[in-house]
Amino acid sequence: MAENILRESIDRLQQALDFFEQKIGRPEFIQEKGRERFRYRNPSPEIFMTLKAVRVVSTYNACAYLIPVGYGQEVCALIRTAFEFLNDIHFIAEGVQKGTMTPQQQEMLDRFFEEDLLLPELLLNRHSKKPTVPRKKVYAHVARNLTPDNPDRTQKLIRLLEEAYSGYIHGAYPHVMELYVGGDWRFHTGGMPGTPRKFESLRALVRSVHQALNVFARVSALFANEELFNALLATRKILEVNKLYAG
Protein backbone atom coordinates (compact mmCIF):
# COMPACT_ATOMS: atom_id res chain seq x y z
CA MET A 1 0.00 0.00 0.00
CA ALA A 2 2.68 2.49 1.06
CA GLU A 3 4.89 1.51 -1.85
CA ASN A 4 1.98 2.04 -4.28
CA ILE A 5 1.30 5.54 -2.98
CA LEU A 6 5.00 6.32 -3.14
CA ARG A 7 5.17 5.10 -6.75
CA GLU A 8 2.15 7.22 -7.68
CA SER A 9 3.78 10.27 -6.06
CA ILE A 10 7.02 9.77 -7.98
CA ASP A 11 5.03 9.32 -11.18
CA ARG A 12 3.28 12.62 -10.46
CA LEU A 13 6.66 14.30 -10.12
CA GLN A 14 7.65 12.77 -13.46
CA GLN A 15 4.50 14.20 -15.01
CA ALA A 16 5.49 17.62 -13.76
CA LEU A 17 9.03 17.17 -15.02
CA ASP A 18 7.75 16.24 -18.48
CA PHE A 19 5.90 19.57 -18.55
CA PHE A 20 8.93 21.54 -17.32
CA GLU A 21 11.07 19.90 -19.99
CA GLN A 22 8.56 20.80 -22.67
CA LYS A 23 8.61 24.43 -21.54
CA ILE A 24 12.38 24.87 -21.74
CA GLY A 25 12.81 23.13 -25.10
CA ARG A 26 15.59 20.88 -26.30
CA PRO A 27 19.32 21.39 -25.75
CA GLU A 28 21.67 21.45 -28.71
CA PHE A 29 24.25 18.78 -29.42
CA ILE A 30 27.84 20.01 -29.51
CA GLN A 31 29.95 17.93 -31.86
CA GLU A 32 33.44 18.29 -30.42
CA LYS A 33 35.78 15.32 -30.53
CA GLY A 34 36.28 13.86 -27.10
CA ARG A 35 33.75 16.29 -25.60
CA GLU A 36 30.50 15.47 -27.39
CA ARG A 37 27.68 16.75 -25.22
CA PHE A 38 24.29 18.40 -24.98
CA ARG A 39 24.01 21.98 -23.69
CA TYR A 40 21.39 24.71 -23.64
CA ARG A 41 22.24 27.72 -25.77
CA ASN A 42 20.54 30.33 -23.58
CA PRO A 43 20.78 29.42 -19.88
CA SER A 44 17.93 30.65 -17.69
CA PRO A 45 16.51 30.19 -14.18
CA GLU A 46 13.77 28.00 -15.69
CA ILE A 47 16.36 25.68 -17.24
CA PHE A 48 18.26 25.56 -13.93
CA MET A 49 15.14 24.55 -11.98
CA THR A 50 14.20 21.94 -14.57
CA LEU A 51 17.65 20.34 -14.61
CA LYS A 52 17.69 20.14 -10.82
CA ALA A 53 14.22 18.58 -11.01
CA VAL A 54 15.63 15.97 -13.42
CA ARG A 55 18.09 14.89 -10.75
CA VAL A 56 15.36 14.80 -8.10
CA VAL A 57 13.12 12.43 -10.06
CA SER A 58 16.05 10.26 -11.15
CA THR A 59 17.16 10.04 -7.51
CA TYR A 60 13.72 8.93 -6.32
CA ASN A 61 13.48 6.29 -9.03
CA ALA A 62 16.84 4.90 -7.94
CA CYS A 63 15.67 4.88 -4.31
CA ALA A 64 12.52 3.00 -5.28
CA TYR A 65 14.70 0.23 -6.76
CA LEU A 66 17.05 0.09 -3.77
CA ILE A 67 14.53 0.00 -0.92
CA PRO A 68 13.01 -3.45 -1.64
CA VAL A 69 16.46 -5.06 -1.39
CA GLY A 70 17.30 -3.16 1.79
CA TYR A 71 19.98 -0.71 0.72
CA GLY A 72 18.90 1.93 3.23
CA GLN A 73 22.30 3.58 3.57
CA GLU A 74 22.47 4.20 -0.14
CA VAL A 75 18.88 5.45 -0.20
CA CYS A 76 19.63 7.98 2.52
CA ALA A 77 22.76 9.14 0.70
CA LEU A 78 20.63 9.74 -2.39
CA ILE A 79 17.97 11.54 -0.34
CA ARG A 80 20.70 13.89 0.88
CA THR A 81 21.46 14.87 -2.73
CA ALA A 82 17.75 15.36 -3.47
CA PHE A 83 17.46 17.58 -0.40
CA GLU A 84 20.16 19.86 -1.82
CA PHE A 85 18.61 19.91 -5.29
CA LEU A 86 15.22 20.90 -3.83
CA ASN A 87 16.71 23.69 -1.75
CA ASP A 88 18.51 25.00 -4.84
CA ILE A 89 15.22 25.05 -6.75
CA HIS A 90 13.54 26.93 -3.90
CA PHE A 91 16.45 29.37 -3.82
CA ILE A 92 16.20 30.25 -7.51
CA ALA A 93 12.38 30.09 -7.60
CA GLU A 94 12.30 32.95 -5.11
CA GLY A 95 14.15 35.19 -7.57
CA VAL A 96 11.89 34.12 -10.46
CA GLN A 97 8.81 34.91 -8.40
CA LYS A 98 10.10 38.36 -7.43
CA GLY A 99 11.25 39.11 -10.97
CA THR A 100 14.84 39.84 -9.98
CA MET A 101 17.79 37.81 -8.75
CA THR A 102 19.86 38.66 -5.69
CA PRO A 103 23.65 38.61 -6.17
CA GLN A 104 23.78 35.18 -4.50
CA GLN A 105 21.05 33.75 -6.72
CA GLN A 106 22.72 35.07 -9.85
CA GLU A 107 26.03 33.66 -8.66
CA MET A 108 24.49 30.20 -8.28
CA LEU A 109 23.12 30.38 -11.81
CA ASP A 110 26.42 31.62 -13.26
CA ARG A 111 28.47 28.94 -11.48
CA PHE A 112 26.07 26.22 -12.57
CA PHE A 113 26.05 27.06 -16.26
CA GLU A 114 29.76 27.83 -16.60
CA GLU A 115 30.61 24.22 -15.70
CA ASP A 116 31.48 22.15 -18.74
CA LEU A 117 32.75 18.71 -19.62
CA LEU A 118 36.53 18.84 -19.30
CA LEU A 119 39.16 16.52 -20.72
CA PRO A 120 41.53 14.94 -18.17
CA GLU A 121 44.44 17.22 -19.18
CA LEU A 122 42.25 20.29 -18.68
CA LEU A 123 41.22 19.06 -15.25
CA LEU A 124 44.86 18.59 -14.30
CA ASN A 125 45.74 22.10 -15.43
CA ARG A 126 42.85 23.73 -13.56
CA HIS A 127 44.37 25.01 -10.33
CA SER A 128 41.17 25.36 -8.35
CA LYS A 129 37.43 25.22 -8.70
CA LYS A 130 35.51 28.40 -8.09
CA PRO A 131 33.56 28.26 -4.82
CA THR A 132 29.80 27.91 -4.92
CA VAL A 133 27.28 29.94 -2.95
CA PRO A 134 27.64 28.98 0.76
CA ARG A 135 24.84 26.68 1.86
CA LYS A 136 24.02 28.91 4.84
CA LYS A 137 23.04 31.67 2.43
CA VAL A 138 20.80 29.27 0.55
CA TYR A 139 19.22 28.16 3.84
CA ALA A 140 18.64 31.76 4.87
CA HIS A 141 16.85 32.64 1.62
CA VAL A 142 14.70 29.51 1.71
CA ALA A 143 13.80 30.01 5.37
CA ARG A 144 12.78 33.66 4.87
CA ASN A 145 10.61 32.62 1.96
CA LEU A 146 8.94 29.65 3.69
CA THR A 147 8.42 31.15 7.15
CA PRO A 148 8.95 34.93 7.11
CA ASP A 149 7.65 35.19 10.71
CA ASN A 150 10.28 32.84 12.12
CA PRO A 151 13.05 32.24 9.57
CA ASP A 152 15.74 31.42 12.16
CA ARG A 153 14.03 28.23 13.34
CA THR A 154 13.36 27.06 9.78
CA GLN A 155 16.95 27.78 8.78
CA LYS A 156 18.22 25.67 11.68
CA LEU A 157 15.88 22.81 10.76
CA ILE A 158 17.01 22.87 7.12
CA ARG A 159 20.66 22.83 8.17
CA LEU A 160 20.01 20.06 10.70
CA LEU A 161 18.35 17.81 8.12
CA GLU A 162 21.01 18.39 5.50
CA GLU A 163 23.83 17.77 7.97
CA ALA A 164 22.16 14.65 9.42
CA TYR A 165 21.93 12.99 6.03
CA SER A 166 25.45 14.09 5.11
CA GLY A 167 26.71 11.34 7.40
CA TYR A 168 25.49 8.76 4.88
CA ILE A 169 27.54 10.38 2.13
CA HIS A 170 30.72 10.82 4.14
CA GLY A 171 30.53 7.51 5.99
CA ALA A 172 30.20 8.99 9.49
CA TYR A 173 30.85 6.59 12.35
CA PRO A 174 27.26 6.28 13.69
CA HIS A 175 25.86 5.92 10.19
CA VAL A 176 28.26 3.11 9.27
CA MET A 177 27.38 1.30 12.51
CA GLU A 178 23.75 1.11 11.36
CA LEU A 179 24.94 -1.68 9.06
CA TYR A 180 25.89 -3.85 12.02
CA VAL A 181 23.27 -6.39 13.12
CA GLY A 182 23.23 -8.09 16.49
CA GLY A 183 22.65 -11.83 16.50
CA ASP A 184 24.46 -12.15 13.20
CA TRP A 185 27.25 -10.09 14.73
CA ARG A 186 28.42 -8.73 11.42
CA PHE A 187 28.00 -5.83 9.02
CA HIS A 188 25.30 -6.35 6.37
CA THR A 189 26.78 -5.03 3.13
CA GLY A 190 24.41 -6.91 0.82
CA GLY A 191 21.25 -5.08 1.86
CA MET A 192 19.10 -5.22 5.00
CA PRO A 193 15.59 -6.09 3.71
CA GLY A 194 14.55 -8.03 6.82
CA THR A 195 15.46 -5.36 9.37
CA PRO A 196 13.88 -2.11 10.65
CA ARG A 197 16.37 -0.20 8.49
CA LYS A 198 14.23 -0.87 5.41
CA PHE A 199 11.21 0.78 7.04
CA GLU A 200 13.31 3.73 8.18
CA SER A 201 14.66 4.40 4.70
CA LEU A 202 11.17 4.05 3.19
CA ARG A 203 9.83 6.64 5.63
CA ALA A 204 12.72 8.97 4.84
CA LEU A 205 11.98 8.66 1.13
CA VAL A 206 8.25 9.35 1.62
CA ARG A 207 9.01 12.53 3.54
CA SER A 208 11.52 13.67 0.95
CA VAL A 209 9.01 13.06 -1.86
CA HIS A 210 6.49 15.15 0.11
CA GLN A 211 8.95 18.05 0.07
CA ALA A 212 9.47 17.58 -3.66
CA LEU A 213 5.72 17.74 -4.34
CA ASN A 214 5.67 21.15 -2.65
CA VAL A 215 8.68 22.41 -4.59
CA PHE A 216 7.46 21.10 -7.94
CA ALA A 217 4.07 22.70 -7.28
CA ARG A 218 5.81 26.03 -6.82
CA VAL A 219 7.66 25.65 -10.11
CA SER A 220 4.39 24.67 -11.79
CA ALA A 221 2.86 27.92 -10.54
CA LEU A 222 5.82 29.86 -11.95
CA PHE A 223 5.20 28.12 -15.29
CA ALA A 224 1.52 29.17 -14.98
CA ASN A 225 0.14 25.62 -15.04
CA GLU A 226 -2.70 25.71 -12.51
CA GLU A 227 -3.94 22.22 -13.37
CA LEU A 228 -0.54 20.67 -12.67
CA PHE A 229 -0.17 22.77 -9.52
CA ASN A 230 -3.46 21.42 -8.15
CA ALA A 231 -2.61 17.84 -9.14
CA LEU A 232 0.70 18.00 -7.25
CA LEU A 233 -0.98 19.37 -4.13
CA ALA A 234 -3.70 16.70 -4.35
CA THR A 235 -1.03 13.99 -4.49
CA ARG A 236 0.70 15.61 -1.52
CA LYS A 237 -2.52 15.40 0.53
CA ILE A 238 -2.87 11.69 -0.25
CA LEU A 239 0.71 11.13 0.86
CA GLU A 240 0.15 13.04 4.10
CA VAL A 241 -2.46 10.59 5.39
CA ASN A 242 -0.15 7.61 4.85
CA LYS A 243 1.25 6.21 8.08
CA LEU A 244 4.81 6.45 6.75
CA TYR A 245 4.48 10.23 6.56
CA ALA A 246 2.18 10.93 9.48
CA GLY A 247 3.48 8.30 11.88
Side-chain angles (χ1 to χ4, degrees):
M1 179 66 175
E3 286 84 353
N4 291 340
I5 295 174
L6 179 61
R7 183 68 262 167
E8 290 171 6
S9 299
I10 297 173
D11 289 344
R12 180 69 73 190
L13 293 172
Q14 180 65 59
Q15 178 190 4
L17 177 59
D18 290 342
F19 172 74
F20 302 160
E21 187 177 347
Q22 180 184 356
K23 292 293 289 185
I24 66 172
R26 294 179 179 177
E28 66 176 15
F29 183 69
I30 300 176
Q31 185 72 48
E32 184 178 343
K33 188 175 181 180
R35 299 179 66 205
E36 295 84 355
R37 62 206 185 276
F38 286 99
R39 287 186 70 86
Y40 284 91
R41 180 180 294 275
N42 299 307
S44 69
E46 290 77 14
I47 292 174
F48 175 93
M49 293 187 295
T50 299
L51 295 182
K52 292 287 183 174
V54 167
R55 284 301 313 275
V56 170
V57 177
S58 177
T59 292
Y60 290 154
N61 280 319
C63 289
Y65 276 105
L66 291 169
I67 283 179
V69 288
Y71 282 98
Q73 291 265 320
E74 290 69 27
V75 167
C76 289
L78 288 170
I79 288 173
R80 168 61 178 79
T81 65
F83 192 79
E84 184 163 320
F85 304 147
L86 292 168
N87 280 329
D88 288 348
I89 295 172
H90 248 313
F91 184 59
I92 297 303
E94 179 189 4
V96 175
Q97 186 173 355
K98 291 182 176 180
T100 182
M101 294 287 161
T102 66
Q104 291 80 20
Q105 289 164 339
Q106 190 59 53
E107 181 182 358
M108 177 174 282
L109 291 172
D110 292 343
R111 293 282 185 269
F112 179 79
F113 286 112
E114 74 181 12
E115 287 286 335
D116 203 351
L117 182 65
L118 297 179
L119 295 172
E121 55 267 26
L122 294 176
L123 285 170
L124 290 172
N125 292 330
R126 188 169 65 172
H127 299 292
S128 62
K129 184 178 179 180
K130 294 181 180 179
T132 58
V133 178
R135 298 310 296 173
K136 64 180 181 180
K137 291 187 177 181
V138 176
Y139 302 150
H141 273 274
V142 173
R144 285 196 298 269
N145 185 259
L146 291 176
T147 54
D149 295 334
N150 189 9
D152 289 342
R153 182 176 183 276
T154 302
Q155 184 176 351
K156 290 176 181 178
L157 288 173
I158 294 172
R159 186 179 69 248
L160 177 64
L161 284 171
E162 202 164 278
E163 289 179 353
Y165 280 95
S166 291
Y168 291 105
I169 290 181
H170 302 297
Y173 180 25
H175 296 72
V176 174
M177 293 308 298
E178 290 179 3
L179 291 169
Y180 197 81
V181 177
D184 289 346
W185 310 114
R186 65 184 182 87
F187 290 97
H188 281 224
T189 58
M192 305 176 73
T195 71
R197 299 301 181 194
K198 176 185 174 181
F199 178 82
E200 292 167 3
S201 60
L202 182 58
R203 169 172 286 178
L205 179 57
V206 165
R207 292 178 173 175
S208 182
V209 168
H210 179 273
Q211 180 192 7
L213 289 166
N214 284 323
V215 174
F216 279 44
R218 184 179 189 186
V219 177
S220 298
L222 294 175
F223 278 128
N225 189 329
E226 184 177 358
E227 181 180 355
L228 180 58
F229 173 82
N230 291 331
L232 287 160
L233 293 187
T235 302
R236 184 196 69 183
K237 290 180 180 178
I238 295 173
L239 196 64
E240 286 172 347
V241 299
N242 186 273
K243 65 179 182 179
L244 282 171
Y245 179 81

